[in-house]
Amino acid sequence: MTTTASAVRFSDRLPAPVRDETAQVSRLLGELQGRVDWSAVFATGTPWVDAVRRQPAPFWAMESVLREYPISSAEGLALMRLAEALLRVPDTETALALTADQLGRADFSGHAADGQAHPMLSGLASQAIHLSKKLLPEDGDAPNGGGLLQRLGAKTVVAATVRAIQLLGRQFVLGQSIGEALTRADANRRANQPGAALIRHSFDMLGEGARTDADALHYGRAYADAIRAIASKGRPARPEDGDGISIKLSALDARYEPAQFATVAERLMPRLLDLVNAAAAANINLTIDAEESERLELSLVVLDLLAAHVAATFPQWQGLGLAVQAYQTRAPEVIDEVTAIARRHGLRFMVRLVKGAYWDGEIKRAQELGLAGYPVWTDKRHTDLSYLACAQRLLAAPEIYPQFATHNAGTIAAILEMAKAHGTPFELQRLHGMGEGIYREVMRRPDAPPLRIYAPVGEHRDLLAYLVRRLLENGANSSFVHQLADEAVTPQMLLASPLRAPSRSVLPMPLQLFGAARANSKGVDLAAERERLPLLASLAVPMPAAPNDASVQGAAAAMDALHAAQRGWNATPLTERCAVLLRAADALERRTSEFAGLLAQEGGKTLGDAVAEIREAVDFCRYYAEQAAARLAPQTLPGPTGERNELRLHGRGVFVCISPWNFPLAIFAGQVVAALVAGNTVAAKPAEQTPRVAQRFVELLLEAGLPRAALALVCGPGETVGAALVAHRRCAGVCFTGSTQVAKAINRTLAQSDGPIVPLIAETGGLNAMLVDSSALPEQVVDAVVQSAFRSAGQRCSALRLLCLHESVADKVLEMVAGAMAELVCGDPANAAQSWAVDVGPVIDAEAHAGLSRHIARLEREARLIARTPLPERLAGTHIAPVAFELKSIGELREELFGPVLHVVRWRGAVDALVDEVNALGYGLTLGVHTRIDDRAVRIAERARVGNVYVNRNMIGAVVGVQPFGGEGLSGTGPKAGGPHYLYRFCGEQTVTVNTAAAGGNATLLAGGLN
């Protein structure tokens, strides 16, 4: 099968991912006008609610768990955290610490009260948990004392807790193997329950999305085995009549991303076609599960390619399906597009309509990317409304067999009412272990449609992420399942019509994330072709000529001129200085494409890194303008009557700002605008490798109204031009980002000066470590490691250099890291044909390449090679392939380096000793921590001597005003860039005291104190 990246494009037919929510809600309300009689819906759903509350679900069912331990409570949160992590912990010490840490945060002693649904089971469970808290060590780390009895008791309780979580998980996973799942499914059908003959299943093989190709092949085999097992039960007359399978495309290919369509076409499609062929031959249904919004168009491309194949090879098969998420604002148009694909190929699709499972992640992604809005509805009632609009489309489309997946009694009743006008065959769906009470009542109806149970299958260690996601979604205060368990919520409230929901968004838009203080910088959604194409076009624009290097004499002349202009610039009203920064921010934001092209060509930036850097520069401009307005204006200080005291801040003089090549726009801009807004004039020396980016930003500042005399771009070698600027008698301060060695040289020069004491703001490098214990989620760790160590070709100050893995999980994590490294794409970001797909670009120049090559050669002799990313031969002269080595000890890491080289050590024992070893390296910039033991994370952060600590995430990409950035020790002087203390370092201070009573007495006091 031949596929190309341009084979199918949906961008022109689907609307933009982000649209005005208010307008879209109004449109949906118009579509549904007169289509749904909500009084009939209420009349249908109320008896179901009453019946479920009279006869609650079994103790371990979702409704009962939520009634007993709501997720909003400390007890519910503790159980959720234990369920997420405990089963994967291989060593006893960490299991003890995790259990003590989580159970110690809650009080289970009051959960055996009379009147609860299952007082005996509830009481026993609560007493066991309460007892375990007494037996477990109080310290959040491994137990070191308390006697043999305590330790034996603690282990016993942990074992019991593990077993309890396994039992809980069993309620939400149908079987640990497909054979076990099929056996339990048959037993469920044979049970005496309403509508048992109408029950089918859709089996889903549990697991996180693949991080490695080995993972993808494993999941592919699991899917293939499941299809064979289902087929062995007999061939159904129609696909909808029997059990089927759901597959996740991100599990079949580790790079299931829009940017990697070539890989998807070459590697995923053959695997997928094998599964489709097997399902079609057995006449069973195969549904492609939903993914995150940025993969939506890719999934539609894949569906279209599959449809073409099915039409040519199995034209009579009607079992190909797709899950559509109603919480996406484009869901109705997706239904239209899926219908059009089916019609074009002469097929019928099965479409599972779900509300959606990644809402919180979609919200965070939009905020982090600085999108204009959200790709999902911000109000659950809007999702319910969208669901009904999508249902109307599905019921009206003869090319679709609708499958309505929901646990909401109101939505189910509305579907039954809407279906009366169409006569379209359809089915309902629920998750295994959830919604049992409501569907028990629904299936009592004589006209009940078939019910399909979405049934996860997998080992207990694979269920964790799935289980916690289900707990969070259904335990949220706004969820129907949560409210069903709360009898204080009346049926009128529970079954309220979404047709009466307010149309406005309930969340601030991503660009208003920081409220009235400042606008969030506007980003680019590279997954949206409309936004991506202008950036790719910019790569074809030739770079401007580089500015000429200054001579030592020219640098001195620039310093004298800046000194002469400083008094006038400092006298410029603070409001106008701030306004220059704000105008520059707006202008830079408008020219994102232009600067992205320049960063890719001159700095070797990938498109994603270029956009992020432009946004950081915009944020610096706005943040420092906001901070200056709030902090640099004159302040009246308290004092005795008859006296006025005022604190004034002013520029120090001429500031020398020396910036590096790794962030040639963001760091250059941040240094310069901070110094300028404080009232200084600035001599800005960019890195020799990236002068064009600096020159373009200086031009932008001048266009924004900055007086030309206030800023001089002084290019040239650091050892001559840079040294001359620092040593000049007019230098009133230095802001430097670069190597520790150069920072020390600058410090010595300033200290030896005979003139005034000159401040130095230095942000230097680091040997940044990430500490991982055995409670961490391996998939999350691998994502964080690969991003932190290899994004930007490892050329970030904050990049991960030293990965410390607990010995009990080291082998597994390193195997996954090696597999993930094999998936990275090295390439030229400045080449428009490949730019979007590039993960790792070149190192900055030949000198950096040579230094890194020497370091790697030494490691090849002295350390154990873990993995090396394949490097196309054409890139050998400009790229360093991402590589990882295992060291015997932390002490073997002897030098700071800038590049995609990861060092790994294993650790055991007390984590405090490990933190001390990292501190002993002398650097203190960033530290990553991966653990589910909250007390341990707190202790590590308190003990570590670093500027930025990141827990359970990557350790790069600090956001201005959110994660102020900077280190200590060998990593810098502070204050932190992008933080509330930064501007003060650029200022001189003056206090003016005026005796207001000097002219004859205190008139103000006398006027108020005499009769």
Side-chain angles (χ1 to χ4, degrees):
M1 179 177 188
T2 302
T3 56
T4 67
S6 59
V8 185
R9 292 171 59 184
F10 288 91
S11 296
D12 296 335
R13 297 201 290 272
L14 282 182
V18 170
R19 294 182 291 171
D20 179 76
E21 185 163 353
T22 298
Q24 295 309 309
V25 169
S26 297
R27 180 176 64 85
L28 294 182
L29 286 170
E31 286 185 15
L32 291 170
Q33 188 69 34
R35 302 272 189 176
V36 185
D37 179 1
W38 206 261
S39 62
V41 170
F42 183 78
T44 300
T46 300
W48 298 342
V49 172
D50 291 340
V52 171
R53 287 177 169 176
R54 286 194 308 269
Q55 185 182 351
F59 174 68
W60 283 111
M62 174 63 73
E63 295 92 332
S64 298
V65 172
L66 292 176
R67 182 185 295 112
E68 187 70 20
Y69 302 116
I71 296 300
S72 57
S73 70
E75 293 76 24
L77 187 61
L79 288 180
M80 183 193 75
R81 298 288 298 273
L82 282 171
E84 193 272 340
L86 186 57
L87 297 187
R88 69 168 171 264
V89 176
D91 60 297
T92 302
E93 288 76 14
T94 303
L96 288 171
L98 174 65
T99 307
D101 178 75
Q102 292 304 317
L103 295 185
R105 298 174 183 276
D107 181 8
F108 293 86
S109 59
H111 283 267
D114 294 339
Q116 293 184 345
H118 301 274
M120 183 181 71
L121 288 173
S122 173
L124 288 174
S126 296
Q127 289 174 26
I129 294 171
H130 185 56
L131 176 62
S132 72
K133 291 175 62 178
K134 296 180 178 179
L135 293 173
L136 287 165
E138 293 183 2
D139 184 9
D141 213 328
N144 296 313
L148 180 61
L149 181 60
Q150 180 180 356
R151 293 203 56 183
L152 289 176
K155 292 181 180 180
T156 301
V157 172
V158 170
T161 307
V162 167
R163 180 58 179 156
I165 292 173
Q166 289 173 336
L167 290 172
L168 177 63
R170 192 172 187 270
Q171 310 313 308
F172 305 104
V173 177
L174 192 58
Q176 295 198 70
S177 67
I178 187 62
E180 181 185 347
L182 285 167
T183 299
R184 288 187 67 189
D186 289 341
N188 290 344
R189 274 189 283 260
R190 289 193 299 269
N192 293 323
Q193 54 180 306
L198 297 174
I199 293 178
R200 298 91 167 85
H201 293 79
S202 183
F203 299 103
D204 170 49
M205 313 312 290
L206 273 180
E208 292 290 299
R211 268 48 177 195
T212 72
D213 198 45
D215 289 341
L217 293 172
H218 166 75
Y219 292 135
R221 287 190 294 270
Y223 287 137
D225 291 345
I227 291 172
R228 281 192 294 270
I230 297 167
S232 71
K233 293 291 185 178
R235 181 185 181 88
R238 302 175 302 173
E240 61 264 36
D241 293 336
D243 294 337
I245 190 167
S246 297
I247 62 175
K248 200 168 181 65
L249 299 184
S250 57
L252 287 173
D253 197 303
R255 297 310 304 269
Y256 185 67
E257 306 164 26
Q260 304 299 332
F261 184 81
T263 299
V264 169
E266 178 182 349
R267 191 169 65 181
L268 170 67
M269 289 305 298
R271 298 171 183 178
L272 188 54
L273 291 176
D274 286 344
L275 298 176
V276 167
N277 290 342
N283 205 35
I284 64 175
N285 58 85
L286 180 148
T287 298
I288 297 173
D289 262 333
E291 305 273 355
E292 295 84 353
S293 62
E294 65 265 30
R295 292 168 168 162
L296 172 60
E297 294 184 22
L298 177 58
S299 293
L300 290 175
V301 170
V302 170
L303 178 69
D304 196 50
L305 294 171
L306 287 177
H309 171 78
V310 170
T313 54
F314 297 97
Q316 303 306 312
W317 181 52
Q318 298 186 333
L320 181 60
L322 179 74
V324 175
Q325 299 162 316
Y327 74 5
Q328 290 201 29
T329 59
R330 297 191 289 178
E333 289 82 6
V334 172
I335 298 293
D336 294 341
E337 189 57 52
V338 172
T339 303
I341 295 172
R343 186 180 304 122
R344 184 163 62 248
H345 295 289
L347 299 175
R348 188 208 68 172
F349 289 153
M350 303 173 77
V351 175
R352 173 192 298 141
L353 184 63
V354 300
K355 300 233 171 140
Y358 308 105
W359 183 82
D360 53 340
E362 296 281 7
I363 294 295
K364 183 176 182 180
R365 175 179 180 269
Q367 292 177 345
E368 288 180 333
L369 291 182
L371 303 185
Y374 298 104
V376 295
W377 306 107
T378 64
D379 189 315
K380 183 186 180 301
R381 293 167 295 182
H382 297 170
T383 294
D384 291 341
L385 187 69
S386 173
Y387 194 97
L388 297 180
C390 290
Q392 177 65 31
R393 282 169 158 80
L394 293 174
L395 290 167
E399 299 86 359
I400 301 297
Y401 176 75
Q403 302 169 297
F404 299 111
T406 177
H407 303 132
N408 187 311
T411 304
I412 297 168
I415 295 295
L416 296 179
E417 289 297 321
M418 294 168 66
K420 293 176 182 177
H422 296 279
T424 303
F426 68 95
E427 67 182 41
L428 298 171
Q429 293 193 3
R430 70 170 177 85
L431 291 167
H432 171 66
M434 301 181 200
E436 296 178 43
I438 288 294
Y439 277 101
R440 179 190 66 213
E441 302 306 315
V442 173
M443 300 308 289
R444 294 185 193 276
R445 293 170 58 103
D447 62 343
L451 172 64
R452 189 175 302 276
I453 300 174
Y454 185 90
V457 179
E459 297 182 12
H460 287 139
R461 66 173 180 267
D462 294 327
L463 67 87
L464 306 171
Y466 170 86
L467 174 58
V468 170
R469 169 55 58 188
R470 300 289 82 79
L471 287 168
L472 280 173
E473 290 166 356
N474 291 281
N477 291 340
S478 61
S479 80
F480 180 88
V481 174
H482 172 85
Q483 294 184 29
L484 180 64
D486 184 358
E487 295 193 5
V489 180
T490 66
Q492 288 80 6
M493 299 163 62
L494 193 60
L495 300 173
S497 172
L499 302 174
R500 297 194 180 122
S503 59
R504 61 179 177 80
S505 169
V506 299
L507 290 176
M509 289 296 103
L511 297 182
Q512 283 76 53
L513 181 63
F514 304 118
R518 63 184 169 99
N520 189 13
S521 53
K522 184 179 180 181
V524 176
D525 187 355
L526 293 175
E529 188 176 46
R530 296 173 180 84
E531 299 188 37
R532 183 175 68 250
L533 289 179
L535 272 67
L536 293 174
S538 72
L539 299 176
V541 178
M543 287 192 296
N548 295 324
D549 285 353
S551 63
V552 172
Q553 294 76 15
M559 292 293 288
D560 288 334
L562 289 166
H563 174 74
Q566 191 270 332
R567 185 179 296 273
W569 172 242
N570 187 67
T572 301
L574 178 61
T575 54
E576 176 54 26
R577 300 203 304 264
C578 292
V580 170
L581 269 61
L582 294 175
R583 290 194 292 267
D586 293 345
L588 179 56
E589 204 167 61
R590 289 192 299 269
R591 299 175 189 177
T592 292
S593 296
E594 172 192 342
F595 274 87
L598 188 54
L599 285 165
Q601 294 177 76
E602 187 174 53
K605 297 277 183 176
T606 64
L607 289 184
D609 284 345
V611 171
E613 181 165 356
I614 294 164
R615 293 188 63 214
E616 186 175 2
V618 170
D619 283 335
F620 273 133
C621 291
R622 289 179 179 153
Y623 180 75
Y624 289 145
E626 170 212 333
Q627 289 289 304
R631 298 174 183 274
L632 302 190
Q635 302 174 47
T636 300
L637 304 176
T641 185
E643 185 174 282
R644 184 177 70 248
N645 294 281
E646 187 175 78
L647 176 66
R648 301 171 181 175
L649 290 91
H650 57 81
R652 289 179 175 273
V654 182
F655 240 89
V656 175
C657 294
I658 302 175
S659 56
W661 48 260
N662 63 331
F663 283 91
L665 176 61
I667 294 179
F668 179 87
Q671 292 179 348
V672 168
V673 301
L676 286 170
V677 79
N680 303 281
T681 51
V682 176
K685 198 206 86 64
E688 295 174 67
Q689 298 89 337
T690 53
R692 294 175 180 87
V693 174
Q695 176 180 248
R696 190 67 195 92
F697 185 74
V698 168
E699 293 168 355
L700 187 145
L701 282 174
L702 297 177
E703 293 167 14
L706 179 72
R708 186 171 297 275
L711 173 62
L713 181 68
V714 186
C715 299
E719 58 270 22
T720 55
V721 173
L725 294 173
V726 170
H728 196 278
R729 63 191 178 89
R730 298 300 189 188
C731 175
V734 177
C735 185
F736 170 78
T737 300
S739 71
T740 304
Q741 291 76 14
V742 173
K744 288 182 175 181
I746 292 173
N747 191 44
R748 285 192 293 268
T749 297
L750 296 177
Q752 292 167 4
S753 171
D754 291 334
I757 298 173
V758 175
L760 168 64
I761 306 168
E763 190 263 287
T764 55
L767 291 177
N768 310 305
M770 179 183 291
L771 314 185
V772 180
D773 74 9
S774 60
S775 70
L777 180 65
E779 290 82 4
Q780 195 174 69
V781 171
V782 171
D783 289 346
V785 167
V786 171
Q787 293 167 12
S788 302
F790 305 124
R791 188 170 169 181
S792 305
Q795 298 174 123
R796 292 176 180 244
C797 304
S798 57
L800 170 62
R801 310 296 180 200
L802 174 65
L803 174 61
C804 304
L805 293 171
H806 191 271
E807 63 177 4
S808 64
V809 294
D811 288 339
K812 177 181 180 180
V813 171
L814 289 179
E815 181 182 0
M816 293 178 66
V817 167
M821 289 174 62
E823 297 295 316
L824 292 173
V825 176
C826 298
D828 180 7
N831 183 333
Q834 62 180 248
S835 180
W836 187 30
V838 171
D839 298 308
V840 182
V843 295
I844 191 62
D845 57 20
E847 182 181 357
H849 188 279
L852 288 165
S853 296
R854 288 192 295 272
H855 181 85
I856 292 169
R858 180 179 70 80
L859 290 173
E860 287 174 335
R861 296 189 302 270
E862 300 176 5
R864 183 180 75 86
L865 176 66
I866 296 169
R868 180 181 275 116
T869 298
L871 185 67
E873 188 174 342
R874 70 182 187 279
L875 301 174
T878 57
H879 284 66
I880 292 290
V883 63
F885 290 92
E886 183 174 350
L887 309 179
K888 294 184 178 66
S889 68
I890 291 176
E892 292 184 45
L893 187 58
R894 299 193 290 267
E895 58 183 314
E896 176 194 4
L897 75 160
F898 250 50
V901 183
L902 176 64
H903 310 82
V904 182
V905 296
R906 301 172 191 241
W907 68 276
R908 61 181 300 179
V911 74
D912 287 355
L914 176 66
V915 176
D916 291 344
E917 282 192 77
V918 173
N919 286 340
L921 293 172
Y923 292 89
L925 195 56
T926 62
L927 176 73
V929 180
H930 280 260
T931 179
R932 292 299 191 265
I933 303 172
D934 295 338
D935 282 344
R936 176 173 287 178
V938 170
R939 280 213 334 276
I940 289 173
E942 290 174 346
R943 195 176 189 92
R945 302 274 67 86
V946 298
N948 290 66
V949 179
Y950 298 97
V951 179
N952 293 330
R953 51 153 286 174
N954 67 34
M955 47 193 282
I956 58 173
V959 177
V960 174
V962 178
Q963 295 122 2
F965 188 76
E968 58 181 82
L970 296 175
S971 293
T973 63
K976 283 172 162 290
H981 306 132
Y982 193 61
L983 291 182
Y984 292 134
R985 191 65 170 152
F986 291 88
C987 296
E989 301 181 61
Q990 181 185 62
T991 302
V992 177
T993 300
V994 177
N995 179 8
T996 58
N1002 189 336
T1004 302
L1005 183 64
L1006 291 170
L1010 293 178
N1011 294 325

